[in-house]
C-alpha cells in the first residue's frame, strides 16, 4: 500500500455556542488517513465523533484547526466524500434503483454510464432482483446495503460512516458489517467509520482511534494487525485471530466505560 495521505486533520477543535452556553466538543484533534485505509473511531457517547465527521464532510465549520482532503482545503474537493448515516434514509416511495440514483441526481450526474454503474453495483452486491422493489420490501441489512450503494454511486474516494449498523439487530449487524467491510476493500475505498462496538471496530479497521470523553481528544491510535492467514480480512473471521482479545481489552480499558 502506498502511503499517500487522503485526509489530514490538523489541531482541530470545536466549541458549540448555544443559548444555554458553550459545549467544548473536540480538543486538538490531529489525524492522518492514508489511501486505502479503513480507520475506525470509538469513544464515549457525546465525545464529538459525529461532530468530527460533520466537520470533515464540510457540514459545519471547526472553531480551530484545519482539514485537508487530497492536500486541498475542504470546499473544493467535498464531492469526493460520501457520507453514510446511522439511519438508511431511503425514500419509501422510490424503488431501490431510484433510491440508489439519488446521489447522482443531486450532483446532476445521471448519465447512461452512471446508471449502468449503479445497476452493476446492485447486481454484484446481491440486490439485482430487488431493483424495482420498494424499501419496505427489504430487510434491514439489505436496506443498509442500498444506502452504501447510493453512497458509492457518485464514486467518492473517501467515505464517512457514522454508526452505519447501529439500527440493526445483532445477527444482521454481524453479517452486514462483514459484507460492507469486504465491499469497501474490494472497491479500494478509504474510510473513516464511527462505531460503538469494539469488536466491530477491531474486525473492520486498519487503525482504531480511541477518543476520550468530552471534549474529545485522541487517547490512542492502534494499528490493527491480525494473524488470520485465510480470512482475507473478512471482519467476521477476523474475530478468530489470536490478537483479537488483546486489542479488545486494551480498547475496553481505554474507553473507561465504568466512569
Ligand atoms: P457523539 O457523536 O460522539 O455522540 P456529538 O458529536 O454528536 O457526539 O456531540 C458532541 C457534543 O456536542 C455533545 O455534547 C452534543 O450535545 C454537542 N452538540 C452536538 N451538536 C450540537 C449542536 N448542533 N449544537 C450544540 N451542541 C451540539
Ligand atoms: Mg454520534
Amino acid at each position: 500500500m502506498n502511503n499517500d495521505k487522503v485526509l489530514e486533520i490538523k489541531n482541530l477543535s470545536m466549541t458549540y455556542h448555544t443559548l444555554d452556553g458553550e459545549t467544548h466538543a473536540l480538543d486538538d484533534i490531529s489525524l492522518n488517513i492514508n489511501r486505502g485505509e479503513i480507520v475506525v473511531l470509538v469513544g464515549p457517547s457525546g465525545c464529538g465523533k459525529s461532530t468530527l465527521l460533520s466537520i470533515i464532510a464540510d457540514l459545519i465549520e471547526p472553531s480551530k484547526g484545519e482539514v485537508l482532503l487530497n492536500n486541498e482545503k475542504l470546499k473544493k474537493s467535498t464531492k469526493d466524500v460520501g457520507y453514510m448515516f446511522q439511519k438508511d434514509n431511503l425514500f419509501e416511495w422510490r424503488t431501490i434503483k431510484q433510491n440508489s440514483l439519488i446521489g447522482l441526481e443531486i450532483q446532476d450526474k445521471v448519465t447512461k454510464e452512471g446508471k449502468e454503474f449503479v445497476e452493476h453495483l446492485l447486481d454484484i452486491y446481491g440486490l439485482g432482483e430487488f431493483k424495482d422493489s420498494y424499501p419496505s420490501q427489504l430487510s434491514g441489512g439489505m436496506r443498509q446495503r442500498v444506502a452504501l450503494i447510493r453512497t458509492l454511486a457518485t464514486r467518492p474516494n473517501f467515505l464517512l460512516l457514522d454508526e452505519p449498523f447501529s439500527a440493526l439487530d445483532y445477527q444482521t449487524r454481524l453479517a452486514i458489517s462483514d459484507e460492507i467491510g469486504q465491499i469497501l476493500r474490494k472497491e479500494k475505498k478509504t474510510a473513516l467509520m464511527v462505531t460503538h462496538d469494539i469488536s466491530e471496530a477491531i474486525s473492520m479497521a486498519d487503525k482504531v482511534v480511541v477518543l476520550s470523553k468530552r471534549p474529545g481528544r485522541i487517547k490512542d491510535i492502534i494499528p490493527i494487525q491480525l494473524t488470520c492467514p485465510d480470512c482475507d480480512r473478512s471482519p467476521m473471521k477476523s474475530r478468530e485471530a489470536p490478537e483479537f482479545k488483546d486489542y479488545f481489552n486494551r480498547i475496553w480499558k481505554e474507553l473507561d466505560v465504568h466512569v
Side-chain angles (χ1 to χ4, degrees), residues 12 19 38 45-46 48 68 88 92 103-104 133 156 160 165 182 210 245 247:
L12 201 75
L19 292 176
I38 299 180
S45 185
L68 299 180
D88 59 49
E92 300 296 338
L104 289 170
S133 305
L160 295 166
F165 315 124
Q182 307 258 28
V210 184
K245 229 174 72 199
Y247 285 129

Side-chain angles (χ1 to χ4, degrees), residues 49-51 86 162-163 194:
K49 302 180 295 296
S50 296
T51 299
Q86 182 170 353
D162 197 353
E163 306 201 34
V194 172

